[in-house]
């Protein structure tokens, strides 16, 4: 579960809060093309650099171009960010389907409702939610519900796991398989963890930096990666302590306890997932809406609603199909973490810092950043090999549209 949410200023509309200066998004109002901007901090001075999305760059004058190594690297970064978001959205639909399947199993012993059917139902619900939420600002009240649902899941999973752990006999905490399998599994797990716990950063790392939004964004990120992570780690470690290496990938499938408590926790997991998916699909929605679909009329005008149904519905159909086709998506998320999350989070960020402040850094600071660039590049390659190996192994065990 991901309790990630940005802390948005109540006076900002969705364009200010998400689109105004992010290189993820470009925007057009009528026939007027709006220039995207990037802010780069060099020393104690902030320089605002603007560039038009459709023309070339002046290398000597465009600091953002220099840092991003040109248009090709800019496009590659843009693409990798959306690959991450697509994988996150697909993973959320799988999680929602697992929650529905868990609820069904609580009350029925048969196997009539299979996981692919549950994933399809989850995709339909996510699509209906996406049609009714025209922009990110309209999600404000739902962020409160998201937090509430997250707390229900966290508390129920933690308490039930703790109770089971007190009465469960000795557990096996060893990683299964041969020595080679253990090494590859550990490396793949590292890539998966980086992918999972970095999801909040990806849509926000290049979000608008115009005051006062930058302060709200900083608060959200500090909260997420400090206090916000504590309950998530608590559930993770408690589940592993209680059930060992046999813990289910969806923890509520392992817990024992009152049926109504598990039903409540699974229901909360389902609805929280629907809301969280919309948050991480919003960059895609905003890009398409502002560039192609949003006119001067109300967000609930027939034209805009029809556009949302067509575009967002089509996007979620693809997500849902991939989720049902590959319910063992965790291996592919490891590959995404290796090929995309590692480079974007650790390699690119450190290298951009070196480029922007090359004359301001001490030799020790430069050495530290280069160590990160080289070290995480090597780790990304190793993790990619590990993920590909896991995919090949699991493809022999699982089949397409599997009922896990």
């Amino acid at each position: 579960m991901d309790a990630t949410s940005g802390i948005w200023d109540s006076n900002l509309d969705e364009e200010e809060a998400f689109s105004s200066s992010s290189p993820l998004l470009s925007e057009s109002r009528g026939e007027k093309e709006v220039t995207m901007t990037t802010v780069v901090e060099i020393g104690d001075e902030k320089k605002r650099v603007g560039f038009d999305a459709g023309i070339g760059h002046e290398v000597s004058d465009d600091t953002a171009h220099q840092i991003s190594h040109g248009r090709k690297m800019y496009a590659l970064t843009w693409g990798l960010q959306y690959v991450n978001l697509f994988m996150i959205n697909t993973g959320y639909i799988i999680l929602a389907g697992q929650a529905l399947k868990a609820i069904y199993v609580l009350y029925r012993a048969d196997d009539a409702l299979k996981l692919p059917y549950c994933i399809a139902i989850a995709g339909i619900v996510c699509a209906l939610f996406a049609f009714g939420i025209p922009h990110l600002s309209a999600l404000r009240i739902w962020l409160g519900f998201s937090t509430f649902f997250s707390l229900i899941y966290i508390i129920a999973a933690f308490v039930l796991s703790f109770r089971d752990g007190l009465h469960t006999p000795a557990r096996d905490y060893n990683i299964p398989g041969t020595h080679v399998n253990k090494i590859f599994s550990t490396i793949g797990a590292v890539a998966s963890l980086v992918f999972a716990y970095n999801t909040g950063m990806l849509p926000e790392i290049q979000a608008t930096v115009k005051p006062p939004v930058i302060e709200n964004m900083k608060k959200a990120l500090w909260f997420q990666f400090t206090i916000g992570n504590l309950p998530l780690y608590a559930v993770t470690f408690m589940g592993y302590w209680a059930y060992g290496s046999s813990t289910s990938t969806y923890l509520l499938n392992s817990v024992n306890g009152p049926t109504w408590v598990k039903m409540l926790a699974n229901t909360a997991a389902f609805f929280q997932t629907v809301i969280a998916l919309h948050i991480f699909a919003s960059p895609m929605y905003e890009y398409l809406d502002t560039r192609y679909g949003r006119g001067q009329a109300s967000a609930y005008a027939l034209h805009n609603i029809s556009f949302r149904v067509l575009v967002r519905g089509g996007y979620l159909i693809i997500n849902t199909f991939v989720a049902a086709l590959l319910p063992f998506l965790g291996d592919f998320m490891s590959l995404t973490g290796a090929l995309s999350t590692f480079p974007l989070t650790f390699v690119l960020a450190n290298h951009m810092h070196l480029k922007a402040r090359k004359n301001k850094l001490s030799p020790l600071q430069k050495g530290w950043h280069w160590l990160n660039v080289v070290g995480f590049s090597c780790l990304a390659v190793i993790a990619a090999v590990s993920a590909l190996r896991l995919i090949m192994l699991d493809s022999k065990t699982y089949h397409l549209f599997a009922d896990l």
Side-chain angles (χ1 to χ4, degrees), residues 157-174 232-248 251 254-255:
F158 184 89
V159 172
L160 294 179
S161 297
F162 180 71
R163 194 181 73 164
D164 286 347
L166 293 176
H167 302 94
T168 302
R171 281 82 72 187
D172 182 10
Y173 297 105
N174 293 320
L232 304 182
Y233 280 117
V235 171
T236 300
F237 287 112
M238 182 58 66
Y240 188 70
W241 170 77
Y243 309 107
S245 57
S246 63
T247 308
S248 171
L251 183 58
S254 297
V255 301

Side-chain angles (χ1 to χ4, degrees), residues 163-210:
R163 194 181 73 164
D164 286 347
L166 293 176
H167 302 94
T168 302
R171 281 82 72 187
D172 182 10
Y173 297 105
N174 293 320
I175 301 174
T178 64
H179 182 68
V180 174
N181 285 337
K182 291 179 180 180
I183 293 175
F184 279 106
S185 296
T186 302
I187 296 172
V190 171
S192 294
L193 285 172
V194 169
F195 177 86
Y197 282 97
N198 191 56
T199 53
M201 178 67 79
L202 287 170
E204 296 167 353
I205 193 171
Q206 293 193 16
T208 177
V209 288
K210 282 177 58 179

Side-chain angles (χ1 to χ4, degrees), residues 28-154:
S28 60
R29 296 189 183 96
E31 297 180 354
K32 182 179 179 181
E33 191 73 22
V34 178
T35 299
M36 295 189 297
T37 55
T38 301
V39 174
V40 181
E41 184 174 344
I42 303 178
D44 298 325
E45 181 182 2
K46 289 187 177 180
K47 296 184 178 181
R48 178 168 297 278
V49 183
F51 63 95
D52 190 283
I55 61 175
H57 302 288
E58 295 292 337
V59 177
S60 59
D61 298 327
D62 192 343
T63 308
H65 169 71
Q66 295 176 19
I67 292 176
S68 64
H69 306 286
R71 185 69 178 177
K72 291 182 179 179
M73 183 58 70
Y74 171 86
L76 178 61
T77 302
W78 189 92
L80 288 177
Q81 287 174 324
Y82 276 107
V83 167
N84 275 276
L85 293 174
F86 179 85
M87 295 296 287
I88 292 168
N89 297 334
T90 305
Y92 273 131
I93 293 177
I94 293 176
L95 177 59
Q98 289 177 325
L100 285 179
K101 178 69 182 290
I103 294 173
Y104 180 82
V105 171
L106 287 175
Y107 297 99
R108 297 287 297 271
D110 59 68
D111 198 32
L113 187 63
K114 300 184 182 299
L115 180 59
Y117 305 151
C118 295
I119 289 175
I121 295 171
I124 293 172
V125 175
C126 290
L128 292 175
F129 187 78
F131 301 157
I133 307 296
H135 45 69
L136 201 60
S137 293
L139 199 63
R140 283 192 183 102
I141 188 173
W142 292 101
L143 297 180
F145 283 106
S146 176
T147 303
F148 176 70
F149 292 139
S150 296
L151 289 174
I152 292 177
Y153 171 86
I154 290 169

